[in-house]
Every structure is written in C-alpha cells, then in structure tokens.
Amino acid sequence: MKAVAAMRLSTQVDLSGFIGLLQRLQVTHRVAEEAGEQVLWVPDEQLAEQVRTLYARYPQGDAAITLESPPIATSAMPGFIQQLRTSRMTAVVLLLCFVAAAITLLGDNLEAVSWLSFIDYRVQGDYIYFANLNNTLASGQWWRLVMPMLIHFGWLHLAMNSLWYWELGRRIEFRQGAIGLLGLSLLFSLASNFAQYWWAGPSLFGGLSGVLYGLLGHCWIYQRLAPNNAYRLPPGVLVMMLAWLLICMTGIFELLQFGAIANAAHVGGLLAGCLTGLLGGLLARQQRS
C-alpha cells in the first residue's frame, strides 16, 4: 500500500493539536519534513480526503471530539501486515538478523559467526585466534565494520533486541524515511563496534544493542530540540534503558556468569545517537523558524 500525502503545510504551522486529534481517533498517519514543508501522510486517498476535511473544521484539534463520536471514518489500530508495509526497512533489518541467527545457530556455529564478526578469527581447540584489524581491512573486508549488528547469541538476546528495534526503528522510519533509518543504523553500528574494539580489544561481540542505544539517543535529543509525535517515547522508556545501561556497566552479569556485556558498544552507540539527534534537531528547529 502506497502512502498518500494528505496535506503539505509550512513548518511554521503548529500541527500538534491536530496530530493529537488524529491519534485519539486512531487514524494511521505520519508527519515528515520535506523541502521545508510538513507533509502529513496517510495510507490511502480516501482517508486523505477525510483528513483534509477534518483539518478544515478542526485545525487546532478539539478535546471534545472522542472515539464515541468521530467526525471521520476510522479503523482500529493498524494490523501487523499494515505496519510491515509502512515500516519496510525496519522489517528488512530484522529479517536479516533472523537469517543470520539461523545461519550462525544463534552464535553456536563459530565458523559462520566469523563471516560477520568485527575482525576475522580462527578456532583452534578451545582457543580463538583473532586476525589483525588493519590486515582485515586491507584485504577489503569492510563489511565487518557494521555486520556484527546481525549476530545474536541466544533467543533472549535476539528477542529483546528485535522488539526494541521494531519499536524505535519504526519511529525513525516514519519520521526520516527508510534510507534515513538504514543510514543511522549503519552509522550507530559502526560507532558502537569501534567503541567496543577500542575498549576491549580483539573479542567476539555482536547484536543490535549498540544500534538501539543510538536510536534511543537520536530520538531523545531530537525530540528535546524539535518536538514531534514520532519521537515522543512512552513515559519511563528512556529512564529504564539508561538504568539498564548503568546496571550492565557494574559488571553484575559477568559476576553472575550470565555472559559478557558489550558495554562500550552501548555507550558508543548512545553518544553517536545523541550527536545525530543534536544535529537533526537543530536543523529541524532552524527549518521551522
């Protein structure tokens, strides 16, 4: 299903009240800034016409309008298939993670894991011997700089990262498009992988966690500078994820022998996300003014 631009308005127009109305009426939509305009996208032309009519009547929203007496024909929350159609890049990244999990047997197939690891290695007996990073890059294996984000070690690792990427990735894809999400994901993977390598040296690590903290930092700072509905996270999410980061950094999980946590990757991803959120938020604020 191809999205339809229901309205194109100046960035100086405050859409917060009207967007709040659409949310109360459960109208599937997203708002993006394109060429200095705010573009309101909806799933089809029929709904676009209804949204335009609604805006003509209630440009500032109306707190008195409720779901019991909607002035617009709406459906329930979008189903999973519809969400997939409007979040294709998010779904593609997750699909690649699932494929990698199957090929690597969730990290048990070390030979397959070596294809996606940050630096190449060989297994000899009970030991892993890592290659030199410079030699790895000199041989043209540049994909290794970002591919560790596809590696996951165990079902719980994969499930938790997938759920958070689905939540945060869709927000960024709605706001900044599929290419924007892909670019940010690769950038955060690069930053988090280098941070982990710089901190811990040659080691085996992977997962979307560094990327997730990048997406979190991006939404957090961007939202503070240029508030928008897409990046407004549910209450407590930011505090919970930052608290989880601090708990992991205490080393409690290594002490309890639950496995090593790539804390440097999380911090590196978060800092990179805060930086992109700062730049993106400042740019969006400048466009609005």
Side-chain angles (χ1 to χ4, degrees):
M1 180 184 298
K2 185 177 181 180
V4 175
M7 298 190 303
R8 295 180 180 270
L9 301 171
S10 168
T11 54
Q12 297 180 354
V13 176
D14 184 6
L15 276 176
S16 59
F18 185 67
I19 294 302
L21 173 59
L22 294 181
Q23 289 177 334
R24 293 201 308 276
L25 297 177
Q26 299 182 347
V27 177
T28 303
H29 68 281
R30 67 182 175 92
V31 179
E33 292 182 10
E34 302 176 6
E37 293 181 316
Q38 297 181 86
V39 184
L40 177 63
W41 297 90
V42 295
D44 55 62
E45 182 58 43
Q46 180 180 3
L47 187 56
E49 182 60 33
Q50 293 175 329
V51 166
R52 286 189 285 266
T53 301
L54 181 65
Y55 183 74
R57 297 174 58 189
Y58 306 100
Q60 302 302 321
D62 190 334
I65 300 176
T66 65
L67 292 177
E68 285 71 31
S69 57
I72 183 173
T74 63
S75 58
M77 294 297 289
F80 181 67
I81 298 300
Q82 185 175 353
Q83 293 181 51
L84 284 177
R85 289 172 175 170
T86 57
S87 310
R88 288 185 174 89
M89 185 56 68
T90 307
V92 166
V93 172
L94 290 178
L95 177 61
L96 291 175
C97 288
F98 298 149
V99 171
I103 294 174
T104 63
L105 302 180
L106 288 171
D108 289 339
N109 185 345
L110 291 178
E111 180 180 356
V113 171
S114 69
W115 305 337
L116 303 174
S117 60
F118 190 68
I119 53 178
D120 197 9
Y121 63 81
R122 61 183 176 87
V123 179
Q124 186 172 336
D126 294 331
Y127 297 93
I128 296 180
Y129 296 91
F130 291 94
N132 183 276
L133 177 60
N134 292 332
N135 294 338
T136 299
L137 298 181
S139 64
Q141 301 180 42
W142 292 90
W143 73 85
R144 294 186 180 278
L145 299 180
V146 296
M147 284 300 101
M149 73 178 190
L150 302 181
I151 305 172
H152 288 85
F153 303 96
W155 285 111
L156 182 60
H157 189 205
L158 176 63
M160 293 300 295
N161 282 351
S162 297
L163 289 173
W164 279 114
Y165 192 83
W166 179 250
E167 174 64 29
L168 296 174
R170 286 187 302 148
R171 293 173 180 271
I172 292 179
E173 186 170 358
F174 287 162
R175 180 71 179 178
Q176 298 182 242
I179 300 301
L181 172 62
L182 178 61
L184 289 174
S185 296
L186 294 178
L187 175 62
F188 298 152
S189 180
L190 180 67
S192 60
N193 292 336
F194 262 114
Q196 183 64 29
Y197 181 79
W198 174 80
W199 180 259
S203 57
L204 187 57
F205 58 86
L208 277 171
S209 301
V211 175
L212 294 177
Y213 273 100
L215 300 180
L216 176 70
H218 182 81
C219 291
W220 174 27
I221 302 300
Y222 195 114
Q223 168 69 9
R224 293 188 65 86
L225 294 174
N228 63 87
N229 287 295
Y231 291 171
R232 184 175 294 115
L233 299 173
V237 167
L238 178 64
V239 173
M240 181 187 68
M241 292 195 71
L242 293 180
W244 177 256
L245 174 61
L246 293 175
I247 292 173
C248 290
M249 292 176 66
T250 65
I252 184 65
F253 293 104
E254 289 87 343
L255 183 63
L256 297 175
Q257 298 184 347
F258 287 160
I261 305 295
N263 294 310
H266 298 169
V267 174
L270 179 63
L271 293 178
C274 289
L275 178 59
T276 60
L278 174 65
L279 296 176
L282 289 176
L283 180 60
R285 174 183 284 186
Q286 184 179 23
Q287 290 176 341
R288 290 181 181 179
S289 61

